[in-house]
Amino acid sequence: VDATYTGNNNASGVYTDGNAISPGVVPADEGVILSTGRVRDFTNSRGDANQSGSTSTDNNRGVDNDADLNALAGTTTYDGAILDVDFIPEGDTLTMQFVFASEEYPEYVDSIFNDVVAIWVNGELAEVTVAQDTVSIDNINELATENLYVDNTGSDFNTEMDGFTVTLTVSATVTPDEVNSIRIAIADAGDAQYDSNLLIAADSAQTALIAN
């Protein structure tokens, strides 16, 4: 019905040919990407995987100090990119698939730099069906949830991010045939340095077909 993006223009975009360019990383061949830096920095323009361990952009006009994101991260947040959508679902359960990737991995696990992703549906924090917790550096990593995390410090995958999650599914109850809302957000935590990215699989936001 309606959609609004809040954040730096360089921090949001649509990606294509993901399976060819970054196989094993992206949740689908096409989708939407939100970043705390510049979305174009998710991969290296020269085609070489992970050439830097500190890819970072401090975005002016990003969302800083959002109260809800602060509460989830446990500290002040910066460089937020937020997508708000109003929609009318056919069914009573919304699912969506995504990947969270970050340059904060692995050295800033269990530190104040707890970059975070949040998805609210009708004002309620949606459940990530695998992680069963907030998607953040401290909650999904090699130590806490080894089966959900992929290390890229050895540059095995074509992304500048040093680590990323497997494809995760979020699930939430919605009201059919009425206007519902979803807010999708990502932010740096603790400071505005070291980028994190959220990749949402195209056509995975469904209420008629449940994503596995």
Side-chain angles (χ1 to χ4, degrees):
V1 176
D2 185 56
T4 303
Y5 169 72
T6 307
N8 188 288
N9 287 340
N10 293 320
S12 68
V14 172
Y15 72 86
T16 59
D17 295 327
N19 290 333
I21 297 170
S22 293
V25 183
V26 297
D29 195 44
E30 300 177 348
V32 169
I33 179 170
L34 302 178
S35 179
T36 65
R38 296 177 297 190
V39 295
R40 69 183 184 185
D41 291 340
F42 181 75
T43 54
N44 191 292
S45 61
R46 296 187 301 274
D48 299 321
N50 202 13
Q51 298 299 293
S52 171
S54 57
T55 301
S56 185
T57 298
D58 183 357
N59 279 332
N60 61 356
R61 299 185 181 176
V63 179
D64 292 341
N65 204 30
D66 179 87
D68 292 330
L69 289 169
N70 289 354
L72 292 176
T75 187
T76 304
T77 55
Y78 305 88
D79 290 344
I82 301 174
L83 180 63
D84 288 289
V85 179
D86 293 329
F87 63 99
I88 300 175
E90 298 177 11
D92 62 4
T93 302
L94 169 75
T95 59
M96 187 178 70
Q97 293 181 306
F98 65 93
V99 164
F100 171 64
S102 181
E103 197 76 320
E104 301 283 5
Y105 288 127
E107 59 266 43
Y108 294 107
V109 172
D110 292 331
S111 73
I112 194 174
F113 307 115
N114 187 33
D115 292 5
V116 66
V117 162
I119 300 170
W120 292 275
V121 177
N122 296 326
E124 299 291 330
L125 191 65
E127 176 187 7
V128 179
T129 55
V130 177
Q132 298 179 339
D133 209 335
T134 304
V135 177
S136 66
I137 299 297
D138 288 354
N139 288 337
I140 300 181
N141 55 67
E142 191 171 28
L143 300 177
T145 51
E146 183 180 8
N147 61 314
L148 304 180
Y149 172 74
V150 180
D151 180 81
N152 192 39
T153 53
S155 304
D156 296 317
F157 299 89
N158 187 25
T159 173
E160 277 300 306
M161 301 300 101
D162 284 351
F164 55 93
T165 69
V166 300
T167 298
L168 303 174
T169 299
V170 66
S171 177
T173 300
V174 291
T175 304
D177 304 319
E178 294 184 9
V179 176
N180 292 245
S181 66
I182 184 170
R183 166 168 280 201
I184 305 167
I186 186 170
D188 280 331
D191 64 11
Q193 307 303 312
Y194 284 55
D195 297 345
S196 291
N197 293 270
L198 172 64
L199 295 94
I200 303 166
D203 298 324
S204 72
Q206 303 252 7
T207 59
L209 177 65
I210 304 301
N212 293 315

